[in-house]
Amino acid sequence: MGTPARSEARLRGGAGIWFRPAYIRFPLGERLLPVPGALPGKMAAQQPLRVLALAGFRQSERGFREKTGALRKALRGRAELVCLSGPHLVTDAAGAEGAGPDSEPCLPEEQPRGWWFSEQEADVFNALSQPTVCRGLEEALGTVAQALKKLGPFDGLLGFSQGAALAALVCALGQAGDTRFPLPRFIILVSGFCPRGLGLKEPILQGPLLLPSLHVFGDTDCVIPSQESMQLASRFTGAITLTHSGGHFIPAAAAQRQAYLKFLDQFAE
């Protein structure tokens, strides 16, 4: 028998390229320190970081929770994901991100949803075209603002695909002074891209975003090509990129798990 193939994450940040996440040094290299008064040799119990996770287009809330199950397990005790799907029902579920069409009526949390549409008359979205409209974007921003207010506070944001584009926009608006969106301590963007189209306040995304960011994308992603995710990463100062050999999904194998934890260790208290 041959030697089994070993999954290896490739992480890049700043000017260097590193392999084997166990030996990566990150920007803002904060480390967990003993709490004054704690017993010698003991660390105070950590509270998990709270992360608002924004689903992709045509993902239901339940479906997104299921698709992030491996990641939530990998981050258990270190980070808690609160999943949120878009406000708009997507009437045609064919081609859903990570799910097939529903053949039977489903519960509200199982209905495919989106954050906004790129056509006026059809419930569709194309991340790679230049749309004439971004129908439903303001409602999407309102949904995130309401979640931050009612379900927060959150330490960070995570977004997948269209949810990643929205998370980046939310941070840009917060940095520009929009009080609905207090800046998180960090952001994790998986299969992200720079949003296009009228109404997106695109100039806001041209300037550098000044918060720690981890950008995760696959070499064989046919939905959001890797160059799209790299372009989004370029909008963040000190961005760290984590690539994998797969496609359009949230990776959570052992190599990626270690990289996630290394990134999150900066924010442990």
Side-chain angles (χ1 to χ4, degrees):
M1 294 179 62
T3 302
R6 183 177 63 180
S7 173
E8 185 176 69
R10 300 186 302 288
L11 230 109
R12 303 178 180 89
I17 299 178
W18 301 283
F19 296 85
R20 301 181 183 276
Y23 302 103
I24 294 167
R25 292 185 299 164
F26 288 88
L28 304 179
E30 300 171 14
R31 292 292 180 266
L32 184 64
L33 298 175
V35 175
L39 293 176
K42 299 287 185 179
M43 297 297 291
Q46 290 179 227
Q47 290 296 321
L49 298 166
R50 300 192 73 239
V51 181
L52 181 62
L54 307 184
F57 185 72
R58 283 180 173 150
Q59 281 189 322
S60 67
E61 183 178 322
R62 179 174 179 177
F64 188 50
R65 285 201 304 268
E66 291 175 352
K67 293 300 179 183
T68 56
L71 178 62
R72 288 187 286 108
K73 182 178 179 180
L75 301 182
R76 185 174 298 161
R78 307 285 283 276
E80 170 195 355
L81 300 186
V82 178
C83 295
L84 187 68
S85 59
H88 308 294
L89 287 175
V90 180
T91 54
D92 179 8
E97 290 181 350
D102 294 312
S103 58
E104 299 178 357
C106 50
L107 298 173
E109 68 268 19
E110 298 174 340
Q111 295 174 326
R113 293 178 174 271
W115 294 105
W116 74 90
F117 305 108
S118 55
E119 292 187 15
Q120 187 63 49
E121 303 298 333
D123 293 348
V124 298
F125 177 75
N126 188 336
L128 306 181
S129 67
Q130 186 69 28
T132 57
V133 297
C134 292
R135 180 166 58 89
L137 176 61
E138 287 303 323
E139 292 88 342
L141 291 171
T143 296
V144 175
Q146 185 178 46
L148 291 172
K149 182 177 180 180
K150 292 188 175 182
L151 304 178
F154 292 98
D155 297 287
L157 284 180
L158 180 148
F160 173 64
S161 198
Q162 192 190 44
L166 181 63
L169 179 61
V170 161
C171 289
L173 291 171
Q175 183 172 291
D178 192 327
T179 57
R180 296 176 298 170
F181 306 117
L183 274 179
R185 299 172 65 194
F186 61 86
I187 189 169
I188 300 174
L189 302 175
V190 184
S191 295
F193 57 92
C194 289
R196 300 173 171 89
L198 301 175
L200 276 171
K201 306 176 179 65
E202 289 173 286
I204 289 178
L205 281 174
Q206 299 305 314
L209 295 175
L210 307 175
L211 73 159
S213 61
L214 175 63
H215 303 259
V216 185
F217 49 90
D219 293 334
T220 59
D221 192 332
C222 296
V223 179
I224 305 295
S226 60
Q227 59 265 29
E228 294 287 332
S229 296
M230 292 173 66
Q231 182 184 23
L232 179 59
S234 72
R235 301 291 193 265
F236 290 79
T237 58
I240 296 168
T241 61
L242 167 62
T243 64
H244 60 93
S245 60
H248 197 65
F249 62 88
I250 301 176
Q256 290 90 35
R257 176 185 182 273
Q258 194 167 23
Y260 291 130
L261 294 179
K262 281 283 187 179
F263 178 75
L264 293 174
D265 274 352
Q266 302 174 82
F267 313 103
E269 293 181 347

